[in-house]
Amino acid sequence: MNPKIETKKLNLFYGNFHSLMDISISIPAQSITAIIGPSGCGKSTLLRCFNRMNELIPEVKIEGQILLDGEDIHKPGTNLIRLRRRVGMVFQRPNPFPLSIAENITYGLRVHGTPEGQKPADIVEKSLRGTLLWDEVKDNLNGPALALSAEQQQRLCISRVLAIEPEILLMDEPCSALDPIATDHIEDLMRDLAQKYTIIIVTHNMQQASRVSSYSAFMLMGELIEFGRTSRIFKNPGDTRTESYISGRYG
Amino acid sequence: MRKDKLVAALLQAIALSALAGLMIITVFIFKEGLPLIFRTGLKDFFFSADWEPGKGNFGIMSMIIGSLAVTLGAMLIGGTLGLGMAIVLTQFCPPKLASLIKPTIELLAGIPSVVYGFMGVVTLVPIIRNYLGGPGLSVLAASIVLGIMVLPTVTSISIDALKAVPRSYWEGSVALGATRWQTTHMLMLKAARSGIVAAIILGMGRALGETMAVIMVAGNALEVPGSVLDPVRTLTSNIALEMGYASGEHREALFATGVTLFAVIMIFNTIALSFARRTIRQGRGQ
Ligand SMILES: Nc1ncnc2c1ncn2[C@@H]1O[C@H](COP(=O)(O)OP(=O)(O)OP(=O)(O)O)[C@@H](O)[C@H]1O
Ligand SMILES: [Mg+2]
């Protein structure tokens, strides 16, 4: 197994609050890894370490290593803009910008530049096709993104990230604002995307984790309790705490 | 229970009387001013620069131009500075420092306008006269003084508008790799656009209505200015300068000047209000 991104003895403090404790995890490439655990255990915090979004919060201290393709992302001289291009993020609540649909997709291109020999319009189409949104919006590309339904908005947010060709997709409870049918659609989409991208998803929904992910990580109060193949974790958990969480004994 | 009703009735009466007071003032100004505008003729009143009350000439064009020039200048200076400060304070500066600086800027609004005018006369006017030429008392001097005076309005409303932009937009942009500055100009300013326009228009209303400070530094000459170094008289200055001795038609003409001002400021405020409402609606994601 070749890890796409791994952490070594990662610790994170919000001021004095020790939020992540000695997390060491190796996330395999081109697969879906689910991070599960009760509320407040540090799932979002861990996810936000991978694209260094935690550093935007004052008083955060991070210790340990995070290696992306073997390279430390905290190494001095790391290009943060390039890192965030390689590691894209989809948020819990769909957050399309108050711009047009097309402008949402080209936003990242304006930041990183359009790759040589490609046209923005083609990238818009390709990214929207990638999330199966193209047919629904192709006649309304200049319409406001905020007028779309919640599911369409979330697809747009995924397209927006795909447009800058990331390698990793971080998704923090991407379906929690969606109804079951829309959730189904997004899950299909994720399986599809996992052919190409490394996906890390935070979810509260055990069924979702077992449906979509190949690997699962179970966290509890800032610690990584268990990590392994989803089928194994769900059928035959190695830790009693994992077992009781999965069977619904924790919050 | 009876006491409650009494208090409610009292409050209602107070609210109504405030409203009635406003109505009476409005009606009074229009009643005093409108007839003269029609008697002089719209063209001769608005588009003639001949203001000779003794001879019955009541053209206010030079003052309209004066007001517009000074207001525009004030907005170029105060609008740019105010918006710039709002951007720095909301996007680039640590929140603690920002929460210290914002009230300080708002404090500027409490300084009486004579003080601004006085500072202008003592410091600004001589500098302009010595280094740029002209009498010093000028469009430029008035613009700078007014620009500083509108700073609190523009800054604090722009700050509120930028702060009302949902943080999730900002996070989405930064997560895409955008720098703070890219996020600001590609997203935040657009998302806060209507609030910022409202801030600028309210600032314009303030600049247009300001009187004392302008009288002190604008020179008050009754002519159409040829450059920013020429002195001008604004609509408000004209009323304040001549009201003391005006009578008859002259007095009516000053009220007519007031009607003009009133109309312009009402238009400004209506536009500002409609933009402000739009921002609130956008903030709720509708
Ligand atoms: N900005 C912050 N400042 C201080 N403490 C924080 C901050 N963000 C999170 N925490 C704390 O860190 C811990 C982990 O938070 P995190 O958001 O990562 O949990 P989570 O597992 O994602 O929870 P949920 O399932 O509710 O989203 C929580 O106890 C939380 O209170
Ligand atoms: Mg979370």
Side-chain angles (χ1 to χ4, degrees), chain A residues 6-251:
Chain A
E6 63 185 314
T7 68
K8 287 187 176 162
K9 294 235 175 237
L10 182 69
N11 283 278
L12 185 142
F13 303 82
Y14 289 114
N16 289 326
F17 180 71
H18 197 167
S19 177
L20 294 180
M21 300 174 196
D22 279 340
I23 306 269
S24 297
I25 187 172
S26 296
I27 291 175
Q30 276 143 357
S31 63
I32 301 179
T33 300
I35 302 178
I36 57 174
S39 209
C41 69
K43 305 180 296 290
S44 301
T45 304
L46 177 61
L47 204 64
R48 292 161 59 91
C49 283
F50 294 137
N51 64 347
R52 290 181 57 180
M53 285 287 281
N54 282 321
E55 288 161 37
L56 298 164
I57 301 166
E59 313 222 338
V60 163
K61 202 169 87 215
I62 296 169
E63 290 164 0
Q65 276 189 316
I66 303 175
L67 306 177
L68 172 59
D69 283 336
E71 250 190 272
D72 190 351
I73 65 170
H74 290 115
K75 203 175 61 187
T78 298
N79 184 341
L80 196 55
I81 293 167
R82 208 174 97 83
L83 172 71
R84 296 209 176 117
R85 175 184 196 158
R86 296 175 67 191
V87 186
M89 185 165 223
V90 176
F91 294 80
Q92 180 169 1
R93 307 194 111 261
N95 60 347
F97 302 141
L99 308 170
S100 76
I101 293 171
E103 282 170 326
N104 264 276
I105 306 286
T106 52
Y107 194 91
L109 302 178
R110 289 173 65 199
V111 170
H112 300 283
T114 308
E116 197 106 8
Q118 293 192 47
K119 285 209 261 346
D122 296 338
I123 295 176
V124 170
E125 177 172 348
K126 196 173 121 207
S127 317
L128 289 170
R129 278 193 193 284
T131 60
L132 305 176
L133 191 58
W134 174 252
D135 287 326
E136 291 161 48
V137 302
K138 63 172 183 249
D139 300 321
N140 191 28
L141 290 177
N142 294 319
L146 295 183
L148 298 173
S149 72
E151 183 204 340
Q152 288 174 321
Q153 290 190 3
Q154 196 60 302
R155 283 172 185 275
L156 180 66
C157 292
I158 298 172
S159 303
R160 183 169 76 187
V161 175
L162 296 186
I164 52 173
E165 302 190 332
E167 297 161 28
I168 299 180
L169 270 180
L170 309 174
M171 302 176 121
D172 195 347
E173 302 186 47
C175 300
S176 64
L178 305 180
D179 63 44
I181 296 174
T183 300
D184 245 18
H185 292 165
I186 300 282
E187 285 177 11
D188 283 340
L189 176 62
M190 284 168 45
R191 279 187 213 101
D192 218 38
L193 294 173
Q195 313 285 323
K196 217 178 136 195
Y197 304 95
T198 304
I199 298 180
I200 309 175
I201 175 181
V202 167
T203 179
H204 267 135
N205 182 330
M206 289 308 106
Q207 281 86 35
Q208 181 169 60
S210 63
R211 274 194 308 259
V212 298
S213 71
S214 311
Y215 298 88
S216 292
F218 172 62
M219 291 179 68
L220 192 62
M221 292 167 68
E223 282 182 276
L224 176 66
I225 304 296
E226 198 168 350
F227 174 68
R229 287 217 162 260
T230 302
S231 48
R232 207 261 304 149
I233 297 251
F234 276 79
K235 266 197 221 98
N236 186 16
D239 194 293
T240 50
R241 290 168 293 181
T242 316
E243 189 182 357
S244 36
Y245 180 71
I246 290 169
S247 57
R249 254 172 278 159
Y250 283 98

Side-chain angles (χ1 to χ4, degrees), chain B:
Chain B
M1 268 298 117
R2 264 178 61 203
K3 212 167 147 193
D4 272 6
K5 269 190 189 148
L6 200 74
V7 171
L10 202 69
L11 288 176
Q12 243 167 32
I14 293 172
L16 279 179
S17 60
L19 202 68
L22 273 175
M23 287 297 289
I24 290 169
I25 293 172
T26 313
V27 169
F28 181 74
I29 294 173
F30 275 75
K31 189 182 130 288
E32 295 288 307
L34 271 184
L36 181 115
I37 297 182
F38 290 120
R39 238 182 298 134
T40 314
L42 289 180
K43 187 166 147 281
D44 280 340
F45 184 71
F46 291 116
F47 298 109
S48 151
D50 256 342
W51 177 266
E52 288 163 306
K55 294 189 196 151
N57 292 335
F58 300 112
I60 61 167
M61 191 180 73
S62 67
M63 298 167 235
I64 292 180
I65 292 176
S67 277
L68 289 183
V70 162
T71 305
L72 196 74
M75 290 330 288
L76 281 180
I77 296 165
T80 327
L81 270 181
L83 182 56
M85 292 225 272
I87 290 173
V88 171
L89 290 182
T90 55
Q91 312 295 314
F92 293 95
C93 151
K96 269 193 193 140
L97 187 60
S99 64
L100 213 75
I101 296 177
K102 189 181 178 226
T104 317
I105 295 170
E106 280 165 354
L107 219 61
L108 280 178
I111 300 175
S113 49
V114 221
V115 177
Y116 285 100
F118 181 67
M119 296 281 285
V121 173
V122 186
T123 58
L124 194 60
V125 169
I127 291 176
I128 294 176
R129 184 169 51 225
N130 296 338
Y131 292 95
L132 301 173
L137 301 161
S138 58
V139 175
L140 183 62
S143 298
I144 294 174
V145 169
L146 281 176
I148 296 169
M149 290 180 73
V150 299
L151 215 55
T153 313
V154 176
T155 312
S156 85
I157 298 177
S158 300
I159 286 179
D160 292 343
L162 283 165
K163 275 199 178 155
V165 177
R167 175 144 176 109
S168 63
Y169 293 171
W170 187 86
E171 284 193 323
S173 172
V174 171
L176 281 171
T179 61
R180 268 171 200 265
W181 172 240
Q182 282 171 329
T183 304
T184 302
H185 78 92
M186 285 166 60
L187 186 63
M188 302 304 279
L189 287 181
K190 278 190 186 151
R193 184 173 39 198
S194 24
I196 291 170
V197 172
I200 303 263
I201 293 176
L202 284 177
M204 278 171 81
R206 248 213 101 192
L208 190 70
E210 175 52 42
T211 314
M212 180 50 87
V214 181
I215 291 181
M216 293 169 78
V217 299
N220 307 319
L222 267 171
E223 56 195 41
V224 178
S227 87
V228 292
L229 298 177
D230 286 344
V232 279
R233 182 182 293 197
T234 64
L235 292 165
T236 50
S237 314
N238 191 45
I239 300 173
L241 287 167
E242 300 190 1
M243 209 36 145
Y245 60 88
S247 63
E249 275 212 311
H250 185 190
R251 184 169 165 280
E252 278 183 66
L254 293 183
F255 272 104
T257 315
V259 170
T260 313
L261 258 176
F262 190 98
V264 177
I265 290 182
M266 283 305 271
I267 293 170
F268 278 5
N269 282 358
T270 314
I271 299 174
L273 220 67
S274 73
F275 271 104
R277 287 217 186 93
R278 271 231 310 259
T279 315
I280 293 168
R281 247 182 289 133
Q282 277 173 359
R284 292 203 200 107
Q286 288 172 359

